[in-house]
Amino acid sequence: MQHADILIIGGGLTGLSLNYFLKDENLDIVIVEARDRLGGRIHTVGNGHEAPVEMGATWFGPAHTKLKSLLDELNIETFKQKLGEKAIYEPSSMSPHQLVQLPPNQESSFRVKGGTISLIRELSKFMNDDHLYLSCPVQKIEKKKERLIVTADLEIFDVEMVVSTLPPKLLSDSIQLKPLPSEELAETMANTHTWMGESIKIGLTFSEPFWRADDLSGTIFSNVGPIPELYDHSNFEEHKFALKGFLNGSYFSVSKEERKQMVLAQLRKYYGDKTDQFIHYHEMVWANERFTYAPYDRHVLPHQNNGHAMYQKPLWEGSFFIAGAETSETSPGYMDGAVHSAQSVADQIKKSFNHLQKK
Ligand SMILES: Cc1cc2nc3c(=O)[nH]c(=O)nc-3n(C[C@H](O)[C@H](O)[C@H](O)COP(=O)(O)OP(=O)(O)OC[C@H]3O[C@@H](n4cnc5c(N)ncnc54)[C@H](O)[C@@H]3O)c2cc1C
C-alpha cells in the first residue's frame, strides 16, 4: 500500500496543472494515469522529422487567458493559426467546390510551438517520476474514516484527498465510489457532455505546402465531407508541413483504411495528384478511446452540465474533488477550463491544508 497526501487521478492538463499549482506546498502528491502516456486529450503525434500533428487539443483564443498565462509562465511560445485569405468551400454535393474569400479581421486562434504536448512536457518537469503511475487505471475510491483508499490496477493507495480529473461521465461509468454519490450527482455526471469525445481527427504530413499556391488553400469547409473542416497545420518554424482537420464523427465504425481512402478521395478533388505526396496519414477516433469516452444512455447536448454547481465543492467532508475541463465554470470543456479547474481545486486544497496546520 502506498501513502500520500493527495492522489490525482489522470495525467492530463488538469492533473498536471494541479500538481504544478501545488508545487510549493510541501505536499506528497501522486498522479495515477490509466494510459501509458501523459496528456489525455492532448496528444501530439509525429516522428520528429515531420510537422507535429495534433490528434487532440490544438487551438486557444483570446478569451482563454488562464491557459495563456500558464503558457507564458512556462515560457512556451505560441503562434497564430494560418488561415490564408481564401478557403476551399464545398456547399453541396450538387455544386462543385469553389475558392472563396475569407472575411477580413476574423478573431485569430493560436497554436503552441512544438505542439500542445509542449505544455504537457513542461508541466511534467514539476513531477517526481516515482510519484507517477502510468498504465494504472483506477477502479475504486473508498472513504474509510479519515482516509481514502484508492484501488488501481497495479497498486492500492491510502491518501488524505483524491482529485478525479476524468470527464465526469467517464468517472461515473468507470470508477466505483464508496459511499455512492447522491442520486442528483450521479444523474448529473451521467449526463455531462465530454467535449470532443465523439470527434475524429485526421492529419497528413507533406514535404511541400503546395496548398499555399494562389489558386488553392489549406483551409477547407465542406458540407459534403467526410472532412467538414481542414486547416494548414505546418509547424511554427514553417519548415515542416501538414494539413489537419476533422472527420465527420459518424465514420467511427468503418476501418482505418476505409477512412483513409475516403479522406484521400476528398482531398484529390481539391488538390489532384499532389494529395498522394503525403508522407504520413494520422488519425484518432476519440469515441473508441476508453479512457476518454463513455457512450451516453440518452442524448446529451454539447457542453450539457459542463461547469455544474455540484462540481465546484468537494464531497466527503472536503476529501474528494471532481475536477477536469468539463467541471469548470469558465471555458468548460476547453484547455482553458482544465487550467481553471486545476486552479480552483489547488486554491481549495491550499486553504484546507493551511487550516489543518493551524489546528
Ligand atoms: C479531438 C479533440 C480536439 C480538441 N480541441 C481542442 C482545442 O482546439 N482547444 C481546446 O481548448 N480544447 C480542445 N479539446 C479539449 C481539450 O483536449 C480538453 O479540454 C483538455 O485536454 C482536458 O484536460 P483534462 O485533464 O481535464 O481531461 P483529459 O485530458 O481527458 O484527462 C483525463 C485523464 O484521465 C485519464 N484516465 C481516464 N480514466 C482513468 C482511470 N480510470 N484511472 C486513471 N486515469 C484515468 C485519461 O487517460 C486522461 O489522461 C479537444 C479535445 C479533443 C478530444
Side-chain angles (χ1 to χ4, degrees), residues 126-233:
F126 294 87
M127 277 196 46
N128 203 330
D129 274 355
D130 47 319
H131 283 50
L132 170 66
Y133 295 78
L134 288 175
S135 305
C136 190
V138 168
Q139 293 143 5
K140 187 160 87 176
I141 313 166
E142 206 172 345
K143 180 158 171 55
K144 286 209 169 148
K145 294 194 180 134
E146 303 286 283
R147 306 289 290 177
L148 301 186
I149 306 299
V150 178
T151 309
D153 256 16
L154 308 173
E155 196 54 84
I156 297 179
F157 302 87
D158 171 354
V159 299
E160 187 146 348
M161 283 185 185
V162 171
V163 183
S164 165
T165 69
L166 272 60
K169 165 64 177 158
L170 185 67
L171 170 65
S172 79
D173 274 37
S174 59
I175 299 185
Q176 193 190 342
L177 303 180
K178 261 184 159 184
L180 288 173
S182 69
E183 242 176 67
E184 196 191 353
L185 176 58
E187 176 78 7
T188 304
M189 288 198 289
N191 293 297
T192 297
H193 183 248
T194 301
W195 185 236
M196 289 289 183
E198 302 88 349
S199 70
I200 304 177
K201 276 271 182 99
I202 55 112
L204 296 108
T205 53
F206 293 90
S207 53
E208 291 300 326
F210 55 78
W211 54 87
R212 292 185 186 169
D214 281 349
D215 57 344
L216 282 178
S217 172
T219 306
I220 293 170
F221 299 112
S222 169
N223 294 332
V224 181
I227 307 168
E229 281 176 60
L230 192 87
Y231 302 96
D232 190 315
H233 197 63

Side-chain angles (χ1 to χ4, degrees), residues 111-348:
R111 294 173 52 202
V112 177
K113 180 183 174 185
T116 321
I117 200 67
S118 307
L119 175 55
I120 297 297
R121 279 201 198 110
E122 286 307 311
L123 286 171
S124 66
K125 290 182 183 163
F126 294 87
M127 277 196 46
N128 203 330
D129 274 355
D130 47 319
H131 283 50
L132 170 66
Y133 295 78
L134 288 175
S135 305
C136 190
V138 168
Q139 293 143 5
K140 187 160 87 176
I141 313 166
E142 206 172 345
K143 180 158 171 55
K144 286 209 169 148
K145 294 194 180 134
E146 303 286 283
R147 306 289 290 177
L148 301 186
I149 306 299
V150 178
T151 309
D153 256 16
L154 308 173
E155 196 54 84
I156 297 179
F157 302 87
D158 171 354
V159 299
E160 187 146 348
M161 283 185 185
V162 171
V163 183
S164 165
T165 69
L166 272 60
K169 165 64 177 158
L170 185 67
L171 170 65
S172 79
D173 274 37
S174 59
I175 299 185
Q176 193 190 342
L177 303 180
K178 261 184 159 184
L180 288 173
S182 69
E183 242 176 67
E184 196 191 353
L185 176 58
E187 176 78 7
T188 304
M189 288 198 289
N191 293 297
T192 297
H193 183 248
T194 301
W195 185 236
M196 289 289 183
E198 302 88 349
S199 70
I200 304 177
K201 276 271 182 99
I202 55 112
L204 296 108
T205 53
F206 293 90
S207 53
E208 291 300 326
F210 55 78
W211 54 87
R212 292 185 186 169
D214 281 349
D215 57 344
L216 282 178
S217 172
T219 306
I220 293 170
F221 299 112
S222 169
N223 294 332
V224 181
I227 307 168
E229 281 176 60
L230 192 87
Y231 302 96
D232 190 315
H233 197 63
S234 305
N235 68 349
F236 166 86
E237 295 83 358
E238 288 280 331
H239 59 46
K240 294 174 182 172
F241 307 100
L243 293 169
K244 191 215 64 174
F246 296 91
L247 200 64
N248 183 316
S250 57
Y251 289 84
F252 76 93
S253 57
V254 302
S255 70
K256 179 175 179 181
E257 187 53 32
E258 284 171 293
R259 277 190 296 271
K260 179 177 163 184
Q261 291 311 325
M262 287 189 265
V263 164
L264 294 175
Q266 183 176 347
L267 296 185
R268 280 187 203 110
K269 279 196 285 186
Y270 318 135
Y271 303 133
D273 293 349
K274 292 199 171 84
T275 302
D276 294 289
Q277 294 169 4
F278 74 93
I279 309 168
H280 271 116
Y281 167 79
H282 299 281
E283 65 160 42
M284 186 117 182
V285 180
W286 286 90
N288 293 340
E289 288 291 308
R290 70 187 175 107
F291 296 125
T292 294
Y293 183 75
Y296 307 94
D297 294 335
R298 56 171 190 256
H299 185 67
V300 165
L301 295 170
H303 292 300
Q304 187 167 323
N305 286 324
N306 279 196
H308 197 286
M310 275 192 286
Y311 299 137
Q312 310 313 317
K313 289 273 168 263
L315 312 176
W316 301 351
E317 287 117 44
S319 60
F320 178 43
F321 292 82
I322 300 179
E326 277 69 22
T327 69
S328 170
E329 289 174 312
T330 311
S331 317
Y334 296 93
M335 292 186 280
D336 189 56
V339 183
H340 271 283
S341 165
Q343 183 71 71
S344 160
V345 172
D347 292 346
Q348 294 182 67

Side-chain angles (χ1 to χ4, degrees), residues 84-122:
E85 288 171 9
K86 293 177 180 154
I88 294 171
Y89 175 54
E90 202 175 13
S92 81
S93 50
M94 314 285 277
S95 43
H97 66 269
Q98 45 196 278
L99 204 60
V100 297
Q101 194 75 33
L102 286 167
N105 307 323
Q106 297 182 80
E107 196 172 81
S108 299
S109 50
F110 296 86
R111 294 173 52 202
V112 177
K113 180 183 174 185
T116 321
I117 200 67
S118 307
L119 175 55
I120 297 297
R121 279 201 198 110
E122 286 307 311

Side-chain angles (χ1 to χ4, degrees), residues 73-89:
E73 213 169 293
L74 296 168
N75 293 316
I76 300 173
E77 281 185 72
T78 60
F79 63 112
K80 264 190 194 170
Q81 168 65 48
K82 195 185 265 298
L83 282 181
E85 288 171 9
K86 293 177 180 154
I88 294 171
Y89 175 54

